[in-house]
Amino acid sequence: QVQLVESGGGLVQAGGSLRLSCVASERTFSYYIMAWFRQAPGKEREFVASMGRNGLNTYYTDSVKGRFTISRDNDKSTVSLQMDSLKPEDTAVYSCAAGALVRPTLAAQYKYWGQGTQVTVSS
């Protein structure tokens, strides 16, 4: 029922920045916990960051703390991921997800997913 569309991926050199955005086709966007996951070739899908519906509860995987920032605009039904100081190991397909979760880092507990956007960081 909820469609999520990501944008903002691309190719960037190490140390550069990208800003990913995800727009939801749902007026009750504010109800959902929103998250970003990523999956690199040959690896399992990995939790990146999440934000609660009120914008107060945020979580980041250790590898991106201090470099990535998640934000949301409930009025625009948008969640964003500002990625700074990018590293080659950040290369992956990044997807946004929405759900009402107890454990926000677990992909299986999210109900809605975007199609993903490719982020490639070269050295």
Side-chain angles (χ1 to χ4, degrees):
Q1 184 169 312
V2 177
Q3 292 190 80
L4 305 173
V5 180
E6 304 98 332
S7 63
L11 192 155
V12 65
Q13 294 190 34
S17 298
L18 286 173
R19 184 176 179 85
L20 306 182
S21 295
C22 174
V23 180
S25 61
E26 173 60 56
R27 295 193 178 191
T28 59
F29 173 85
S30 62
Y31 171 80
Y32 297 103
I33 295 171
M34 299 298 299
W36 288 95
F37 288 80
R38 65 187 181 186
Q39 187 167 22
K43 296 185 178 180
E44 295 291 324
R45 186 159 52 189
E46 176 190 24
F47 171 80
V48 177
S50 67
M51 177 171 282
R53 63 181 185 178
N54 59 8
L56 297 178
N57 299 321
T58 60
Y59 301 92
Y60 296 92
T61 191
D62 287 343
S63 64
V64 308
K65 288 180 179 177
R67 300 189 298 120
F68 291 11
T69 304
I70 189 172
S71 61
R72 67 189 294 165
D73 186 336
N74 290 338
D75 291 334
K76 297 180 179 179
S77 298
T78 300
V79 62
S80 299
L81 186 69
Q82 177 66 41
M83 305 184 294
D84 297 321
S85 301
L86 283 162
K87 304 175 181 179
E89 50 263 46
D90 295 319
T91 296
V93 174
Y94 285 71
S95 300
C96 66
L101 306 172
V102 177
R103 299 180 178 181
T105 63
L106 299 181
Q109 297 190 6
Y110 286 80
K111 186 175 182 179
Y112 303 105
W113 290 85
Q115 79 288 349
T117 185
Q118 176 70 46
V119 172
T120 302
V121 184
S122 65
S123 59

